[in-house]
Amino acid sequence: MSSDGPKRLMFSYFADLAKVLGNGHRLELIELLAQGEQPVEVLSQRTGLSFANASQHLQQLRKAGLVVGRRSGKNIIYRLEDGPIVETITALRKLAEHNVAAVQDVVATYFDQLDNLDPIGPDDLMDRMRTGSVTLLDVRPEDEFRAAHIPGALNIDLQALESRIAELPMDMEIVAYCRGAYCVLSFQAVKLLRARGYRVTRFSEGLPEWRASGRAVATA
Amino acid sequence: MSSDGPKRLMFSYFADLAKVLGNGHRLELIELLAQGEQPVEVLSQRTGLSFANASQHLQQLRKAGLVVGRRSGKNIIYRLEDGPIVETITALRKLAEHNVAAVQDVVATYFDQLDNLDPIGPDDLMDRMRTGSVTLLDVRPEDEFRAAHIPGALNIDLQALESRIAELPMDMEIVAYCRGAYCVLSFQAVKLLRARGYRVTRFSEGLPEWRASGRAVATA
DNA sequence: AATTCATTCAATGAAGTTTTTGAATGTACC
DNA sequence: GGTACATTCAAAAACTTCATTGAATGAATT
């Protein structure tokens, strides 16, 4: 927190905020919270962080004004604050895709390999949902689906996909999505379903970006 | 640089990039470079950093893919890489304005106090330039003006404003701009000129944002 | 009132960042 | 070829961040 005129002060505040985003675990916590509110326990499990460690990262996000917690019985339930949080992380992601060579490598060797087809964008998806020419598949855990999903989507948790595969139509294109652009759940769904002869594409983003761009979401 | 599946890898790369943005001096270096390329000496002077320290921050920006240096005689001249760098910092700034209480305080006590009029936005500015109903004043140092400025702007370095004040019309509204939204130069210009009876407003952003939004800039 | 459970807090050590200093590099000028 | 200059590099000191541990809090259950 240096200071030397109000401009330097402002830059140091912007930097403090960037520092809070400057940790992979915290970015993952934000991604999870962008699906919907969660108690610390679930966040700790889904990120693989120890309980105390998850709690401390959440404190930092809270101090930065990015999340709030409320008590509900024995649990503290965290949720994302209002504000352009998803937008900022999307900007960071696009900057990394454009300027960081290592990111381009991972995309090329890992993600493009799994899904060599162009993913479908939000405008296209909306058109095709309207004409009913596509089945939209949400492969996130049930609780995240219930908190918010793209209207008209069918929820099958990736865990259950193999056993519930009969619920999917073979004669219609399927579009799979999950938590965000690099959420592996939808990549794995595409892989599994293609192997069984389904026509599947990925949606280019996840639920948080869909909502951040002002489109309607459904609950329950 | 943790790793546990490609998604965690990606998040750790995004976090590394955020970490590089997580230092006020580096944000200031980026702002200066967003005006145009500069040798290390000038960057070190304008930021108040020691030579070696400025150099080391520039190395970090280079490793992150945000700047490049080229040799020109005895100097190494740095410039911003292509890519959505200004956009990302703008997103960070807006997030801070929205979610960080301390930022709101500084804006209220420092900036709003200096200029209680609404600043003019880019679309309005363009309209008013076309109809010739406004004089646009660029108060950055001459070298930054020469590298790139908003077409039609008059350059008077803030340092020289008092002595060259006669060049400004008293019967027309003046709009002042400089390096960015919180660049103090334009605030000080507004203060000085209002005290002399000129009608002055600030432009809401600076040159980098103007260019990043795809508008034409002039050189020389 | 005692116990359990979810969470936070405080303290520790290990690892990383920032700044300063002085030496090293590489280009230009005499 | 030697000297001056701009910049980078390497090492050290001061400080910050991260994960782990165990104790503390505070609501719910018995």
Side-chain angles (χ1 to χ4, degrees):
Chain A
M1 219 185 271
S2 72
S3 77
D4 189 348
K7 177 205 195 132
R8 295 250 163 94
L9 230 198
M10 292 296 269
F11 275 140
S12 85
Y13 286 131
F14 300 162
D16 288 346
L17 189 54
K19 246 178 244 169
V20 171
L21 299 179
N23 177 291
H25 297 312
R26 284 195 291 270
L27 292 180
E28 203 178 345
L29 286 168
I30 292 172
E31 186 186 58
L32 285 172
L33 290 171
Q35 317 302 320
E37 59 176 26
Q38 293 285 12
V40 183
E41 188 170 25
V42 173
L43 295 168
S44 133
Q45 282 165 8
R46 295 203 178 152
T47 54
L49 291 171
S50 77
F51 213 112
N53 201 189
S55 171
Q56 291 187 154
H57 283 300
L58 288 165
Q59 304 305 308
Q60 289 193 59
L61 292 171
R62 192 167 51 77
K63 267 189 218 146
L66 301 181
V67 311
V68 249
R70 72 182 157 81
R71 189 173 272 277
S72 163
K74 275 198 265 196
N75 298 284
I76 308 260
I77 304 205
Y78 280 93
R79 66 170 174 78
L80 234 47
E81 279 275 18
D82 281 351
I85 303 175
V86 171
E87 288 85 341
T88 303
I89 292 179
T90 299
L92 189 64
R93 190 192 91 208
K94 289 193 172 155
L95 182 58
E97 288 170 352
H98 198 284
N99 291 52
V100 180
V103 166
Q104 290 161 4
D105 288 353
V106 176
V107 170
T109 64
Y110 235 111
F111 291 100
D112 287 353
Q113 210 177 53
L114 282 176
D115 175 23
N116 49 0
L117 264 66
D118 276 345
I120 180 172
D123 293 332
D124 271 6
L125 177 60
M126 243 177 150
D127 284 353
R128 305 201 47 187
M129 288 294 288
R130 235 191 312 263
T131 62
S133 68
V134 81
T135 295
L136 183 59
L137 175 64
D138 183 325
V139 291
R140 296 175 302 156
E142 234 185 288
D143 62 316
E144 297 180 14
F145 179 82
R146 258 183 283 114
H149 57 264
I150 299 180
L154 167 69
N155 177 231
I156 306 180
D157 186 335
L158 182 66
Q159 305 288 319
L161 187 54
E162 205 144 10
S163 61
R164 292 176 56 190
I165 204 164
E167 297 174 37
L168 290 169
M170 288 236 48
D171 58 342
M172 196 192 277
E173 191 172 347
I174 297 166
V175 172
Y177 78 92
C178 51
R179 293 177 184 142
Y182 296 112
C183 175
V184 288
L185 304 177
S186 68
F187 283 93
Q188 288 173 2
V190 165
K191 191 180 174 185
L192 192 154
L193 293 174
R194 289 225 183 115
R196 307 297 176 88
Y198 289 83
R199 281 184 300 131
V200 206
T201 324
R202 272 188 338 103
F203 174 45
S204 63
E205 320 264 323
L207 179 88
E209 294 86 357
W210 174 272
R211 175 163 41 193
S213 66
R215 292 171 214 267
V217 298
T219 56
Chain B
M1 217 185 270
S2 72
S3 77
D4 190 348
K7 176 205 196 130
R8 295 251 162 94
L9 230 198
M10 292 296 271
F11 275 140
S12 86
Y13 286 130
F14 301 162
D16 288 345
L17 190 53
K19 246 179 244 169
V20 170
L21 299 180
N23 177 292
H25 296 312
R26 285 195 291 272
L27 291 180
E28 201 178 347
L29 286 168
I30 291 173
E31 185 186 59
L32 286 171
L33 289 171
Q35 317 301 320
E37 57 176 27
Q38 293 285 14
V40 182
E41 189 171 24
V42 173
L43 295 168
S44 132
Q45 281 165 9
R46 295 201 178 154
T47 54
L49 291 170
S50 75
F51 213 113
N53 201 190
S55 171
Q56 291 186 151
H57 283 301
L58 288 164
Q59 306 303 308
Q60 289 193 58
L61 292 171
R62 191 165 53 75
K63 268 191 218 143
L66 300 181
V67 312
V68 249
R70 72 181 156 80
R71 190 172 270 279
S72 163
K74 276 196 268 195
N75 298 285
I76 308 262
I77 305 205
Y78 279 92
R79 68 169 174 76
L80 233 49
E81 279 274 19
D82 282 351
I85 303 175
V86 171
E87 288 85 341
T88 303
I89 292 178
T90 299
L92 190 62
R93 190 192 92 210
K94 290 193 171 156
L95 181 58
E97 287 169 354
H98 199 284
N99 290 52
V100 180
V103 165
Q104 291 161 3
D105 288 352
V106 175
V107 170
T109 64
Y110 235 113
F111 290 100
D112 287 353
Q113 208 176 54
L114 281 175
D115 174 23
N116 48 1
L117 264 66
D118 276 345
I120 179 172
D123 292 332
D124 272 4
L125 177 59
M126 241 179 151
D127 284 354
R128 305 202 47 187
M129 288 294 287
R130 235 191 311 264
T131 61
S133 68
V134 81
T135 295
L136 183 59
L137 174 64
D138 183 325
V139 291
R140 296 174 302 155
E142 234 185 289
D143 62 316
E144 297 180 14
F145 179 82
R146 259 184 282 116
H149 56 265
I150 299 180
L154 167 69
N155 177 231
I156 305 180
D157 185 336
L158 181 66
Q159 306 289 317
L161 186 55
E162 205 144 10
S163 61
R164 291 177 55 189
I165 204 164
E167 297 174 39
L168 290 168
M170 287 236 48
D171 58 342
M172 195 193 277
E173 191 172 347
I174 296 166
V175 173
Y177 78 92
C178 51
R179 292 178 183 142
Y182 296 112
C183 175
V184 288
L185 304 177
S186 67
F187 283 92
Q188 288 173 2
V190 165
K191 190 180 175 186
L192 192 154
L193 293 173
R194 289 224 185 116
R196 307 297 177 88
Y198 290 82
R199 282 184 298 131
V200 207
T201 325
R202 273 187 339 102
F203 174 47
S204 62
E205 320 265 321
L207 179 88
E209 294 86 357
W210 174 272
R211 176 163 41 194
S213 67
R215 290 171 216 267
V217 299
T219 57

